[in-house]
Amino acid sequence: MSATPSKTSTVASAVALRTTAEAIVSPLILPALLLCDFSHLSQEIENLEQAGARALHLDVMDGHFVPNLTYGPTIVEAVCRSATVPVEVHLMIERPEDTLALYQRAGASVITVHIETLSDPRSMLNQIRSLGLSAHLALNPKTDVHAVFDVLDACDGVLVMSVEPGFGGQAFLPGTLHKLRAFVEERNRRQLKFRLAVDGGIDQKTIGLTSHAGAQWFVAGSSVIRSDNYAAAISSLERLAADAISIHS
Ligand code: DX5
Ligand code: ZN
């Protein structure tokens, strides 16, 4: 059994992790573990890191906010202990404020919460930041971009969902592209700094479109985990994303 870290050391290491997450250069591919072999979890993490993953994405689902149930702080802690790269924890749960501290203690670097679950988004984002973590705000495909405009200044990142959340392996929703462009426009207009992330149906066919539209972080589940070769999948996604920026920027 591992010792419980002191509050001071926990905050200090969280600050270091936040710095690590912020120092990551774009485009960044974040493999999502949702479809991996959980009977060999640490091996999967090692394989992904050896294949070039520079961060990982964990999908926490509660069976209420989304129609699927995955894992909670115990598994997140196990992943963070095994991983050497920063871990983003995507909370698809109702009342995320109730368990936020558990995910911080588990070792998350980035916490992503859904606007649809929050009565006071600014306060939640500030709480995440006050724990020394990067605060990302996600929005579902049916949620209008304007629903989050008011709090963009409190976001380290915005995660645009490009599928209905709940399951891996779904098809990319093309309506995502105009949302990404709207966030880029608003960020420029107000001179904000949040990073733009996209999650759902990201593969070799769709990543360039999202990169061209402004995405910088790309969550990739099935396109990496269901491939025969993690390294080839990650590097081809990274290259396609980078090519789409360099052609059009
Ligand atoms: C969906 C999750 C995604 C999922 C992505 O609710 O938020 O992170 O793991 O999987 P793919 O890339 O297969 O759509
Ligand atoms: Zn996700």
Side-chain angles (χ1 to χ4, degrees):
M1 194 167 78
S2 59
T4 309
S6 72
K7 194 174 174 204
T8 319
S9 72
T10 306
V11 171
S13 61
V15 170
L17 283 166
R18 182 177 180 196
T19 309
T20 314
E22 283 174 352
I24 291 173
V25 289
S26 306
L28 178 69
I29 312 301
L30 297 99
L33 296 187
L34 188 61
L35 299 173
C36 83
D37 179 357
F38 276 86
S39 68
H40 297 99
L41 185 53
S42 59
Q43 189 59 55
E44 287 279 39
I45 294 165
E46 197 181 320
N47 291 346
L48 286 165
E49 290 190 356
Q50 277 175 2
R54 292 180 287 134
L56 298 172
H57 178 95
L58 286 182
D59 291 302
V60 174
M61 305 185 186
D62 66 355
H64 295 281
F65 177 61
V66 290
N68 193 7
L69 188 61
T70 55
Y71 38 75
T74 307
I75 299 294
V76 172
E77 193 274 334
V79 170
C80 293
R81 194 153 29 90
S82 196
T84 64
V85 296
V87 173
E88 174 186 21
V89 175
H90 179 188
L91 295 179
M92 285 160 277
I93 60 176
E94 286 174 5
R95 303 190 53 81
E97 60 277 15
D98 291 353
T99 48
L100 172 63
L102 299 178
Y103 293 102
Q104 184 253 345
R105 252 177 268 146
S109 294
V110 180
I111 301 263
T112 302
V113 284
H114 270 260
I115 184 79
E116 300 85 3
T117 65
L118 303 172
S119 53
D120 186 348
R122 181 173 295 275
S123 149
M124 184 66 184
L125 293 161
N126 287 341
Q127 271 183 63
I128 296 172
R129 283 177 158 182
S130 71
L131 293 171
L133 309 180
S134 282
H136 283 208
L137 189 57
L139 70 162
N140 281 343
K142 292 192 183 77
T143 303
D144 193 275
V145 292
H146 294 96
V148 306
F149 274 13
D150 274 359
V151 287
L152 287 176
D153 59 294
C155 294
D156 296 305
V158 169
L159 177 72
V160 179
M161 287 304 303
S162 38
V163 297
E164 287 297 337
F167 298 94
Q170 303 182 76
F172 177 82
L173 297 169
T176 308
L177 299 174
H178 84 261
K179 287 172 117 175
L180 290 169
R181 287 190 287 265
F183 281 118
V184 170
E185 216 170 281
E186 187 66 4
R187 187 175 56 190
N188 291 343
R189 195 179 69 77
R190 287 161 59 188
Q191 300 193 332
L192 296 171
K193 287 200 164 28
F194 62 86
R195 60 177 77 93
L196 200 47
V198 65
D199 181 4
I202 297 299
D203 60 17
Q204 279 74 8
K205 291 199 183 84
T206 57
I207 194 163
L209 301 171
T210 59
S211 175
H212 184 202
Q216 300 158 299
W217 281 23
F218 307 86
V219 178
S222 46
S223 63
V224 173
I225 303 295
R226 286 188 176 152
S227 73
D228 295 338
N229 182 332
Y230 290 173
I234 292 170
S235 64
S236 76
L237 289 169
E238 222 160 38
R239 185 175 37 77
L240 290 163
D243 286 353
I245 305 173
S246 56
I247 292 168
H248 299 285
S249 59

